Amino acid sequence: MAIAAALILVYLWVRPALGGKPSAESRARIRRSKQYRDGVFAYPLPTPMIEDWKEQLSILGDFIKGTPQAVPDRPLAVERYVPAPAEERGASARVTWFGHSAVLLELGERTVFLDPMLGRAPSPVPFVGGQRFKGSPPLDLQALPWLDAVVLSHDHYDHLDYPTILQLKEKTGTFIVPLGVAAHLERWGVAREAIRECDWSESVTLQGLTLTCAAARHFSGRGLFGRNSTLWCSWVIEGMGRRIFFSGDSGYGPHFRDIGETYGPFDLTLMECGQYDRRWANIHMLPEETVQAHQDVKGGLLVPIHWGAFRLAMHAWTDPVERLLQAASVQGVAVCTPRIGETVKLGQGEPPATPWWR
């Protein structure tokens, strides 16, 4: 009886973080999507997940066994974010990475936060699922300026964080999300009229910016059930004479070349690089594939993301950036490696490339 009561209490505690169910209007749009087949969203090409129980056990065993240098051996030193001075806002283009896939874009007068996961753990239960690497908090949310938009790539916990959304919802004008994700935000108190849901190839115009929902090769879901009931995506962001590509989470696929042909070239790509394994390469790129994807979309400067915050795979925490730099050097690709919290001003001087993680 005591165990059952404890389980009920835990469920009631984590239930809000699980999110919500799509409205009738959202369900109707989901059913009309070309990406929605046989009751779930799917990438155009077969994208098998890890379903063999022997492979699942091998992965669990590897996690339990551990990986050398899977986490930093000392607290990470991060930069303190400072908003752009008022006199600079109209003309500057600034990019600030806060670890993992959280990126703040300040394009002229507009401020957009991509996948703002700033919580302690990518899990509905903070003490389960891997803690954020030790160090100074990546950002005091109170220091943020007003956000014209929060833009989400999908609903996994390491990208859509319940506590972070609770803190941001009163200082954000619009939430721009792939199909089905609005239900989670509404469950957490975000007004329906403040949310724009998009299918692949659909665009939102926001005060001088155009944000286009684009393809990605991944999956979705926040609970034991409902996998792939919401859409995942990448984003094309245009404004202030700049064109930026945000990959979200994705395995390598022909969609990158299609995006490059349709929307490229890009001044900047924010490309997934981390939390990979050959056993799940269909849904997370290897670093060498990240460089190839950057070339496929016709990218200029590459900033690797999806690393530097959590241990979600069996590789050393610095392997993603080291392997990417090696592949980029061979291919002649320009890479920017800012510290966590360091702001990069596009088009102003040499972008930071210090190997701060060594």
Side-chain angles (χ1 to χ4, degrees):
M1 180 66 72
I3 294 176
L7 291 174
I8 291 172
L9 288 174
V10 169
Y11 173 72
L12 292 175
W13 179 42
V14 304
R15 185 180 178 185
L18 298 177
K21 302 292 185 182
S23 65
E25 176 187 356
S26 184
R27 288 199 302 272
R29 288 202 63 206
I30 286 171
R31 287 192 293 269
R32 292 195 298 268
S33 172
K34 293 180 180 179
Q35 282 60 250
Y36 195 71
R37 301 188 294 276
D38 300 322
V40 293
F41 285 103
Y43 184 75
L45 298 180
T47 303
M49 301 287 288
I50 302 164
E51 296 178 352
D52 180 81
W53 67 270
K54 291 183 179 179
E55 196 163 60
Q56 291 177 352
L57 286 177
S58 75
I59 292 171
L60 178 61
D62 286 347
F63 262 110
I64 293 173
K65 182 171 60 177
T67 302
Q69 298 179 324
V71 299
D73 58 7
R74 57 186 180 277
L76 297 181
V78 304
E79 297 287 329
R80 178 176 174 270
Y81 166 76
V82 178
E87 62 272 15
E88 291 184 13
R89 283 185 59 82
S92 65
R94 298 167 27 117
V95 180
T96 310
W97 174 59
F98 293 107
H100 207 58
S101 295
V103 179
L104 188 72
L105 299 179
E106 296 169 278
L107 301 174
E109 298 291 342
R110 305 281 77 83
T111 302
V112 175
F113 211 157
L114 307 170
D115 282 0
M117 195 301 182
L118 299 171
R120 290 183 294 163
S123 164
V125 184
F127 51 83
V128 176
Q131 298 291 306
R132 183 179 289 274
F133 294 162
K134 292 181 179 179
S136 304
L139 175 65
D140 176 3
L141 292 176
Q142 300 306 312
L144 277 176
W146 170 261
L147 301 174
D148 295 286
V150 162
V151 178
L152 301 172
S153 64
H154 62 299
D155 67 0
H156 284 159
Y157 290 98
D158 58 323
H159 295 259
L160 174 57
D161 181 54
Y162 170 57
T164 301
I165 296 299
L166 291 184
Q167 294 185 70
L168 292 181
K169 66 181 182 179
E170 300 302 329
K171 60 188 309 175
T172 301
T174 304
F175 289 81
I176 305 175
V177 303
L179 288 175
V181 177
H184 304 318
L185 302 178
E186 291 181 76
R187 173 75 171 81
W188 302 336
V190 177
R192 184 66 185 89
E193 56 269 22
I195 307 170
R196 301 287 299 274
E197 277 191 311
C198 296
D199 199 352
W200 292 356
S201 301
E202 292 182 343
S203 299
V204 173
T205 300
L206 183 72
Q207 300 171 312
L209 296 183
T210 300
L211 300 99
T212 302
C213 185
R217 190 175 192 177
H218 200 55
F219 71 110
S220 65
R222 293 179 71 83
L224 297 176
F225 308 101
R227 173 173 283 191
N228 297 338
S229 60
T230 62
L231 186 59
W232 54 92
C233 69
S234 58
W235 288 97
V236 174
I237 302 156
E238 299 174 83
M240 279 291 296
R242 306 283 180 179
R243 190 170 292 157
I244 297 171
F245 178 68
F246 176 66
S247 72
D249 277 6
S250 183
Y252 183 72
H255 64 281
F256 287 115
R257 189 169 297 278
D258 293 341
I259 289 168
E261 293 295 331
T262 304
Y263 304 106
F266 293 94
D267 302 286
L268 174 72
T269 69
L270 305 161
M271 299 293 284
E272 179 208 88
C273 178
Q275 321 317 320
Y276 50 79
D277 190 287
R278 291 195 176 278
R279 289 169 289 191
W280 58 77
N282 285 322
I283 57 171
H284 283 299
M285 291 183 284
L286 303 177
E288 295 77 16
E289 292 174 317
T290 298
V291 173
Q292 183 60 58
H294 167 85
Q295 293 176 303
D296 287 354
V297 301
K298 303 179 182 178
L301 183 65
L302 189 163
V303 173
I305 60 172
H306 207 246
W307 73 286
F310 305 107
R311 178 208 174 196
L312 301 174
M314 283 76 70
H315 55 64
W317 79 277
T318 60
D319 271 6
V321 67
E322 293 285 5
R323 285 178 58 175
L324 179 136
L325 286 174
Q326 184 175 6
S329 176
V330 172
Q331 297 297 327
V333 168
V335 179
C336 174
T337 54
R339 293 178 181 272
I340 295 172
E342 181 179 5
T343 295
V344 178
K345 297 180 180 179
L346 297 182
Q348 298 186 31
E350 287 294 319
T354 302
W356 56 267
W357 55 90
R358 292 177 185 164

